[in-house]
Amino acid sequence: METDPTDTVEIQNVVGAGDLEREVDLATLASDLNGADYQPSNFSGLLYQAPDHEATVMVFESGKATVTGATSTSEMRTAFEHFVTIVRDLGVSIECTPEITVQNIVATADLDEQLNLSPVAIGLGLEQTEYEPEQFPGLVYRLDSPTVVVLLFGSGKLVVAGATERTTLETAVATVAEQLTDLSLLAD
């Protein structure tokens, strides 16, 4: 292992949840909000992606909102704050200061080494892993600490999901690398 795998952690998606604390007339909002996508026969929420943001805001009639597609927590918060500002500018009264919380971060990492997933599944423990190569090419590993799910692939690439902070992602990658090294399934 030439590179520290925690240095390869790259956030792919940050999902956040917020609440406008009021009901929203989505049909009216969709007609006023440039770039909104509202097709209630297909999906009950309104989708909005600002031209200068990667993230998409989904808002529902209840006022509950989800932000997805951001590559950092700050980008997720900025997208939500931008949405709230635009909605207020359109005349929708939002009395509260809506907050958004991180629900899930998905990241990739690289162990920089090929893995033989059958011995990995046995070594990490069959009760914590799922590996059915006929169904899915990756091994699903449910860590107890930190509480995340790591997908391991034969290429040595990892996908980590279920974290709410970057440090948790890095801890998970370090934990997997250490366990595989201890099992002699990864070079030092």
Side-chain angles (χ1 to χ4, degrees):
M1 192 168 40
E2 307 228 350
T3 307
D4 180 348
T6 61
D7 292 341
T8 68
V9 172
E10 188 175 322
I11 293 175
Q12 302 297 320
N13 187 24
V14 178
V15 178
D19 193 345
L20 302 178
E21 296 185 16
R22 62 154 293 148
E23 290 191 1
V24 179
D25 179 348
L26 297 181
T28 301
L29 184 58
S31 67
D32 295 342
L33 181 59
N34 191 22
D37 182 11
Y38 181 54
Q39 299 175 25
S41 60
N42 295 334
F43 180 65
S44 62
L46 178 143
L47 304 176
Y48 175 73
Q49 184 176 11
D52 55 343
H53 292 284
E54 297 265 331
T56 298
V57 178
M58 295 177 279
V59 66
F60 300 90
E61 285 185 2
S62 66
K64 302 275 189 212
T66 301
V67 178
T68 187
T71 55
S72 69
T73 56
S74 62
E75 181 186 339
M76 184 254 327
R77 290 183 203 294
T78 300
F80 185 64
E81 290 165 2
H82 177 78
F83 176 76
V84 170
T85 299
I86 288 177
V87 170
R88 280 186 173 138
D89 289 349
L90 292 172
V92 176
S93 175
I94 302 173
E95 301 298 324
C96 66
T97 303
E99 294 193 17
I100 188 156
T101 57
V102 176
Q103 298 295 306
N104 184 30
I105 302 175
V106 178
T108 55
D110 191 350
L111 297 173
D112 198 33
E113 194 171 315
Q114 299 281 314
L115 297 173
N116 183 343
L117 296 179
S118 292
V120 170
I122 293 166
L124 294 177
L126 296 175
E127 62 284 343
Q128 289 181 280
T129 62
E130 295 174 35
Y131 181 52
E132 297 182 38
E134 306 82 25
Q135 303 287 323
F136 180 69
L139 179 146
V140 179
Y141 180 35
R142 298 182 196 299
L143 273 80
D144 289 329
S145 180
T147 308
V148 297
V149 174
V150 180
L151 305 179
L152 293 89
F153 295 90
S155 64
K157 305 277 189 210
L158 307 177
V159 176
V160 184
T164 57
E165 297 178 353
R166 182 180 185 87
T167 55
T168 305
L169 298 166
E170 292 169 350
T171 299
V173 170
T175 298
V176 168
E178 183 179 318
Q179 289 174 336
L180 293 176
T181 301
D182 290 350
L183 292 166
S184 298
L185 296 171
L186 195 62
D188 287 319

